[in-house]
Amino acid sequence: HPSIGRMKGLQSLNLSGNLFFGTIPVEFGNLEGLTILLDLSFNDLTGLIPNRIGELTGLRRLLLNSNQLSGALPVELAALEQIAELRVDDNNFFGFVPGELCALYDTKKALTFADCDELVLTSCFTNCCTDGLGCKCQHEKTDPFRCVFGLQ
């Protein structure tokens, strides 16, 4: 709904588990005050992640897991310079994780979750998830710092 983009002072938005369906409104990109959390997890959202989500440059947590989102991850997510947690697991994504996104998360050491069987290249993501089997940190032996939850 277009009016959602008018809530400029909103710092946190949790719409998790509300049985919402359809696509993510591009107007979420207008919520420039959103710095703490955008949680759209556990709904029935479909389609692509809007490129404009990347305009939420101060956002620390973006939770899009457990929906029916599809397509490739947009390179614009690399603009989320303050991100500490990104969840895109339990969706229908495909293709490669953009190099710019990997570079950002390698620098920020962000806590990230992706499905191993959906994204061809998940090496830059912290947690590798398998449907029904949960998620495990894939850097436990090589870079245990990335597995610490205290980064949020």
Side-chain angles (χ1 to χ4, degrees):
H1 195 275
S3 62
I4 192 105
R6 294 188 197 134
M7 297 187 283
K8 306 261 187 218
L10 196 63
Q11 292 183 332
S12 181
L13 182 60
N14 185 344
L15 298 174
S16 177
N18 280 294
L19 303 176
F20 290 130
F21 60 92
T23 58
I24 298 174
V26 295
E27 290 82 9
F28 280 159
N30 294 338
L31 299 174
E32 59 219 22
L34 212 56
T35 55
I36 299 171
L37 168 72
L38 176 56
D39 188 349
L40 301 176
S41 63
F42 296 99
N43 283 294
D44 198 20
L45 298 171
T46 57
L48 306 173
I49 297 175
N51 295 343
R52 296 209 41 218
I53 294 291
E55 295 176 23
L56 304 175
T57 55
L59 189 63
R60 296 199 33 82
R61 296 179 68 211
L62 177 60
L63 310 179
L64 302 175
N65 54 298
S66 303
N67 280 289
Q68 299 298 316
L69 298 169
S70 59
L73 293 178
V75 68
E76 288 81 3
L77 291 180
L80 301 176
E81 298 169 348
Q82 301 303 314
I83 201 75
E85 182 178 6
L86 172 66
R87 290 202 69 151
V88 294
D89 54 291
D90 196 19
N91 279 290
N92 299 312
F93 295 114
F94 58 83
F96 292 93
V97 176
E100 297 87 343
L101 198 53
C102 284
L104 174 68
Y105 296 121
D106 281 340
T107 302
K108 296 291 296 177
K109 304 288 188 202
L111 185 61
T112 52
F113 297 80
D115 287 334
C116 306
D117 56 346
E118 289 177 0
L119 296 171
V120 176
L121 176 64
T122 59
S123 61
C124 69
F125 279 73
T126 313
N127 293 278
C128 191
C129 307
T130 307
D131 288 341
L133 301 175
C135 305
K136 65 175 188 168
C137 183
Q138 58 184 19
H139 301 285
E140 286 176 307
K141 294 181 180 157
T142 57
D143 189 2
F145 179 74
R146 292 189 75 174
C147 302
V148 178
F149 285 85
L151 298 173
Q152 300 177 27

